[in-house]
Structure formats: structure tokens, C-alpha cells
Amino acid sequence: MMIVDWDDAYANGPHIEGADDYPGIWQKRAKAFRDELGARARLDIAYGEGERQRLDLFLPAGTTAGLAMFVHGGYWKAFDKSTWSHLARGAVESGWAVAMPSYTLAPEARIAGITEEIARALGVASEMVAGPVCLAGHSAGGHLVSRMLCRNAPLGETLRARIGNVVSISGLHDLRPLLRLEMNRILGLDDAEAVMESPALQYPAEGARLTCWVGSEERPEFLRQNDLLANIWTGLGAETSAVHALGKHHFDVIADLEDANSALTRLLTGERN
């Protein structure tokens, strides 16, 4: 069906019951998790000179299996790392150190600049934790972790070779439709940047392993964006899969990251479906 109202096509909150309650719930759970970890929560580590160029690192109790990084969403223009700490629980309890960066938000930063910041954050975190690296991101964060798998990602070869599983949760992989949205007054995308920053329009790096994970109850555009990247990158030689999590919507699709035994956490930290 042809899209007429582009802003509604990419609006999540108006289509989720109790949407306004979620940020407060996330913040409470995030704080409780940080408090629970105590000294194993290393907060506000600088990865650059910018005010928001800070990351939190959550450490497991025993031997560290490797580094996981979670990148938050918010259409590149909202939230910071402090809202999502609890989503590290599943990986931490599985023995992984988890990095969560904030990044400069639009309109102060363009999306291309945010991509550079995430690469820088990953570089700093990877120097602090040895072993394999896995990445997850939600919504705009799904876009950003997918960009780390692109052939033209701003990563060194050594770091790129450490990256194993990447999970884009409800990710935005073709940014060209956003040129039609009112929010682009904030994002400031133009045609060239929309193409350059769209993983679906770029080549995957050699050996890329990507899962595109979306809630089955999400907006049709998010379902399309999810399956689009898995489809295209399969044709370009990447190892990909597309998952529709039954009964999940855009705001609760990430909740399983709190559970070490969930399919989502197991997938991120090493078990393939």
C-alpha cells in the first residue's frame, strides 16, 4: 500500500498502549541495575572531548568473555546512555562486559558524525576489554551498529576482525524515507548523506554476521526496514537472518536483553538461530 502519511508511518508512540510510561520505567530499571552492580559499573568514561562523548562499562562478576556494546535509539535526537543500563543485564550475567555510549544528538550532530562517534566509542571500549566483540542497537541504534558492519565503516582492520554477532533491533537501514518526515528539520539529512549512511545501500564488510530483529507488532515500515537489510546483504555475501519477535512492539522488543537465557541475548553473545 502506498504511504500517504510519512510521519505516521514512522511514529511509534501513538500506536503503543501506555507509551508515555515507558521512559520512566526504563530509567528506574536502569538506575537499579547500576546501583546493584556498584563498583562493576564504571560510569562516564570519556571517548572524546564532547559533553556527550561518554560511555558506561558494566563488568561481569567473573572472567570476561568479551565485549558487547549496546547503542540506544531515539531517532538520533533523544535519550542518553543512562536510560538503558538495565539492558546490559543479560550479557553481563552471561560473562560479557557491556559498553553503553551516549552520543551527540541532532541537530547539534549530523548522522554521519554520530556514526563516527560510535566508532570512536567502540574503539575506546575495545581497548579496555579483550576478546571478541558483539554489538546490539535499537531503532536508530540498530542503524548505528549496522553501520559498524559496512565496508566503509570508520573502524580499523584489527577491531573489525574482532566483531562477531551484530543484532540490529528495530533498526532503520534505508534513511531515504526520512527525507520526507517533519523530523528531518532536526536531522538535517540530505540526499547524499541519506545514501552514504544507509546500511542497505552500502556493502557489508567481509565476514559480516548480522541479525535483523523486530517485533511482530511494530509499524509496517519497521518490519520492511528490518527485512530489507537482511535480504540485500544476503545477496552480497553476508551471513544474515531476519527475526520477527512474536507479540512484541517497538518499546518492549528490547526487554529480553535483560534475560541471560532469552533467545535475543543468546544470539547476541554467540548462539546463532
Side-chain angles (χ1 to χ4, degrees):
M1 181 180 297
M2 181 176 179
I3 297 173
V4 176
D5 188 339
W6 287 89
D7 291 300
D8 182 68
Y10 281 88
N12 289 297
H15 300 276
I16 295 173
E17 184 177 356
D20 292 343
D21 296 333
Y22 277 89
I25 293 170
W26 292 329
Q27 289 162 6
K28 289 178 181 178
R29 294 186 70 81
K31 183 180 185 303
F33 180 72
R34 292 194 300 271
D35 291 346
E36 177 186 332
L37 254 60
R40 289 194 286 123
R42 300 180 58 185
L43 308 180
D44 294 322
I45 300 167
Y47 66 84
E49 297 182 358
E51 180 180 356
R52 291 178 58 92
Q53 292 176 349
R54 301 289 185 272
L55 63 85
D56 295 340
L57 185 66
F58 305 110
L59 301 174
T63 303
T64 302
L67 173 70
M69 187 167 81
F70 176 82
V71 182
H72 73 80
Y75 275 124
W76 307 271
K77 63 183 181 64
F79 296 116
D80 65 23
K81 59 185 174 59
S82 67
T83 304
W84 314 97
S85 310
H86 57 296
L87 298 181
R89 180 182 294 278
V92 167
E93 292 182 354
S94 298
W96 290 69
V98 178
M100 287 197 180
S102 291
Y103 47 85
T104 307
L105 300 176
E108 184 178 349
R110 298 181 68 95
I111 290 176
I114 297 172
T115 295
E116 294 278 353
E117 290 189 19
I118 295 305
R120 196 176 312 145
L122 182 58
V124 168
S126 69
E127 291 176 356
M128 302 175 69
V129 181
V133 174
C134 60
L135 309 174
H138 176 234
S139 199
H143 159 266
L144 291 165
V145 297
S146 298
R147 279 289 286 121
M148 297 302 103
L149 268 189
C150 295
R151 188 184 297 175
N152 64 354
L155 296 176
E157 286 300 318
T158 300
L159 175 53
R160 173 63 196 90
R162 290 174 60 186
I163 298 175
N165 294 335
V166 175
V167 184
S168 176
I169 306 169
S170 309
L172 295 160
H173 305 128
D174 180 357
L175 304 190
R176 292 174 299 176
L178 304 185
L179 295 168
R180 299 172 178 264
L181 272 59
E182 180 67 23
M183 80 168 68
N184 198 41
R185 295 179 181 270
I186 297 173
L187 301 179
L189 276 170
D190 56 27
D191 287 338
E193 186 178 28
V195 170
M196 181 60 65
E197 289 301 313
S198 292
L201 303 179
Q202 301 301 322
Y203 286 94
E206 188 71 23
R209 297 170 61 181
L210 174 71
T211 298
C212 298
W213 185 288
V214 70
S216 67
E217 302 306 307
E218 297 208 37
R219 306 288 289 137
E221 270 296 273
F222 281 85
L223 297 174
R224 186 186 68 81
Q225 288 265 1
N226 185 78
D227 296 353
L228 174 71
L229 183 58
N231 187 328
I232 290 176
W233 275 16
T234 294
L236 297 175
E239 180 183 347
T240 71
S241 60
V243 177
H244 292 202
L246 187 63
K248 300 291 188 179
H249 56 63
H250 194 73
F251 288 174
D252 66 6
V253 69
I254 48 178
D256 282 349
L257 288 173
E258 293 187 70
D259 181 0
N261 294 313
S262 72
L264 180 56
T265 300
R266 295 199 313 270
L267 174 66
L268 173 64
T269 58
E271 294 187 23
R272 304 290 289 173
N273 282 351

